[in-house]
Amino acid sequence: MKAVKATQTPPIPDEAQVLAEISEMIMSVLGDYAPPEGDAAITLDSRFGDDLEMESIDLVTLSGRLAEWYGPEVNFAEYLASLELDEIIELTVGRLVSYVARSLRTAATAAAER
Amino acid sequence: MARVQANGVDHHVQVLPAKGAPLGTAVFVHGAFIDSLASFYFTLGPQFAEAGIDAVLYDLRGHGRSERPPTGYTLQDFTADLDALLDALRIEEPVHLVGNSFGGTIALDYAVHHPERAATVTVVESGPATQDWAHTMAGALDQATEQLPPEEALDWFVAEYGAIASTRQGDGRHDAHIRRLGRNAGKFIATTTIARDIPDGRVLSDGEVRQIRCPVLLINGSEGLVAEQTAWLAELLPGTQVRVVAGQKHSVLVEAAEEVGALALDFVITEADKAAALEASLDAALEGGRTR
């Protein structure tokens, strides 16, 4: 996937769109290890560790893709650093989607107020 | 993410820039076999960046997303990689080294051989490479690689690592995670010389350890693996600070990240402030000398 930095303010994506975008990033990070097409799709309930078998270093790559795609306001490293280890082990795609959508809304509100 | 060629090896590097004007640069060195820069990327890295310190994280050769050459895994190889990496990144000021487990051994070796480039060293659950250390490593690795068939070696690894390293053994999810890491480590050991190279690398004499000039902080879990090494190092280097995190084992970095981060940051910022104050007073003295 090619990251294209937005040059104008795009509409804030809703959670369904964020899920679609993040799913595509996950598939690309997993590469050969990605679940085959038509297999159980990535859902809001998919866990990064147990279901997607992602290693922590895969999450680092995902973090870079998120920042490239959404901009620096989506700081996955900082978000994970704020969680307890149990929460990280149990982390679902849904929690990441909520975090991204929330960050984008906050950034848009801040931009509108400036 | 950046790819940086250093010492002939393609390294995966992540830089988390300081918020505001940087007070200095910290370089994080992760542990061996099952570790990667992720252990710092999701723990101390963002904490340091937030506190105003540029955080440089890299995957050691063979680990994470760095290149995996078939040979070249002695301590001196890892130290040479780190030195070449600082050159490649054009980091000229002395850096705050933060090493976890075997990464701490690399950081201390680096401080001995490149004293001009180390501002401080923070070591989590580790110590310098000594004869005893090399002997222990050789024994453990020999057991994992030679004496057990591959499938049992993996079980052994999971059981041993879970018991010695983590407070979470018996938690099914955590065990599954360790099993995945174990599979990767098994492949790493089978396809490279790392298991032979680490115990065969150079060790430090007492005299060399005494040459460490920069401030050193040792952070251990109270149930960790290195209490003896820590006592020995603190005796050799009287200024060494030691902090113990209660109830933690060898994996204290990721299992008590907030506490370890607070201890490391407090140490690094205090020492950076002291160095800055010293530099300012030297400048003032020089200025005074010139105007007299």
Side-chain angles (χ1 to χ4, degrees):
Chain A
M1 173 184 356
K2 183 140 173 55
V4 181
K5 187 116 181 115
T7 49
Q8 57 193 34
T9 315
I12 305 168
D14 61 15
E15 295 210 349
Q17 189 185 337
V18 172
L19 173 64
E21 289 167 350
I22 288 179
S23 299
E24 203 180 320
M25 286 178 215
I26 291 171
M27 298 295 273
S28 126
V29 169
L30 285 174
D32 294 344
Y33 299 98
E37 291 285 329
D39 222 45
I42 296 170
T43 69
L44 292 172
D45 293 329
S46 305
R47 286 164 305 190
F48 287 99
D50 282 1
D51 299 324
L52 301 172
E53 297 228 338
M54 286 176 89
E55 300 297 348
S56 48
I57 194 70
D58 297 321
L59 295 182
V60 174
T61 310
L62 178 62
S63 175
R65 303 270 164 101
L66 288 165
E68 276 171 29
W69 188 258
Y70 295 112
E73 53 269 21
V74 174
N75 189 332
F76 190 36
E78 205 170 79
Y79 174 62
L80 280 195
S82 73
L83 299 182
E84 295 294 323
L85 186 63
D86 286 329
E87 295 177 293
I88 296 176
I89 291 172
E90 290 284 309
L91 191 73
T92 59
V93 172
R95 274 196 81 174
L96 175 59
V97 168
S98 308
Y99 162 72
V100 169
R102 196 168 64 239
S103 302
L104 295 175
R105 275 197 304 273
T106 308
T109 311
E113 283 170 0
R114 270 203 295 273
Chain B
M1 153 162 139
R3 310 294 315 180
V4 179
Q5 194 74 16
N7 199 23
V9 175
D10 184 41
H11 284 84
H12 168 214
V13 177
Q14 293 277 347
V15 178
L16 304 173
K19 300 226 166 122
L23 306 169
T25 301
V27 180
F28 295 86
V29 192
H30 67 75
F33 300 108
I34 60 170
D35 209 359
S36 74
L37 65 76
S39 306
F40 283 116
Y41 189 88
F42 296 119
T43 59
L44 271 57
Q47 293 178 42
F48 272 60
E50 180 74 36
I53 295 172
D54 283 330
V56 176
L57 299 80
Y58 71 104
D59 278 328
L60 294 173
R61 60 166 65 205
H63 297 75
R65 294 286 173 266
S66 284
E67 185 188 342
R68 178 171 292 179
T71 59
Y73 293 92
T74 63
L75 184 55
Q76 50 272 40
D77 291 310
F78 288 113
T79 292
D81 289 352
L82 173 54
D83 199 46
L85 199 70
L86 294 182
D87 286 343
L89 295 170
R90 295 170 202 273
I91 298 174
E92 282 158 15
E93 293 287 302
V95 296
H96 301 282
L97 293 164
V98 183
N100 178 43
S101 193
F102 182 63
T105 305
I106 298 171
L108 288 165
D109 188 69
Y110 190 82
V112 168
H113 292 96
H114 302 277
E116 72 291 349
R117 296 190 97 165
T120 63
V121 181
T122 301
V123 170
V124 183
E125 270 289 314
S126 184
T130 60
Q131 291 289 1
D132 283 352
W133 170 86
H135 186 73
T136 308
M137 288 296 281
L141 288 166
D142 184 52
Q143 194 173 358
T145 56
E146 304 293 333
Q147 298 176 4
L148 295 168
E151 64 280 10
E152 281 180 40
L154 180 59
D155 288 347
W156 172 87
F157 178 86
V158 172
E160 284 293 304
Y161 186 82
I164 63 175
S166 175
T167 55
R168 288 161 189 278
Q169 197 203 12
D171 170 339
R173 294 244 157 76
H174 182 261
D175 289 352
H177 175 65
I178 293 292
R179 206 165 292 120
R180 280 200 294 275
L181 292 174
R183 272 201 296 272
N184 293 341
K187 196 170 157 204
F188 190 5
I189 288 172
T191 55
T192 69
T193 55
I194 187 168
R196 282 206 305 279
D197 289 354
I198 285 189
D200 281 351
R202 71 179 169 209
V203 293
L204 295 174
S205 67
D206 287 13
E208 284 175 309
V209 171
R210 282 201 198 92
Q211 285 168 20
I212 296 177
R213 289 279 166 268
C214 68
V216 175
L217 169 67
L218 305 174
I219 302 174
N220 291 345
S222 62
E223 319 297 319
L225 298 176
V226 298
E228 271 179 45
Q229 260 180 302
T230 294
W232 170 78
L233 182 58
E235 207 178 297
L236 278 184
L237 283 178
T240 301
Q241 299 181 41
V242 180
R243 299 284 180 275
V244 176
V245 183
Q248 289 294 324
K249 292 187 172 183
H250 191 59
S251 296
V252 58
L253 169 66
V254 290
E255 296 185 5
E258 209 168 320
E259 199 167 346
V260 172
L263 290 169
L265 259 177
D266 181 51
F267 167 72
V268 165
I269 288 180
T270 304
E271 294 302 335
D273 285 348
K274 269 194 230 166
L278 183 64
E279 200 175 323
S281 63
L282 280 174
D283 284 350
L286 284 174
E287 196 60 31
R290 253 184 243 127
T291 51
R292 257 203 305 275

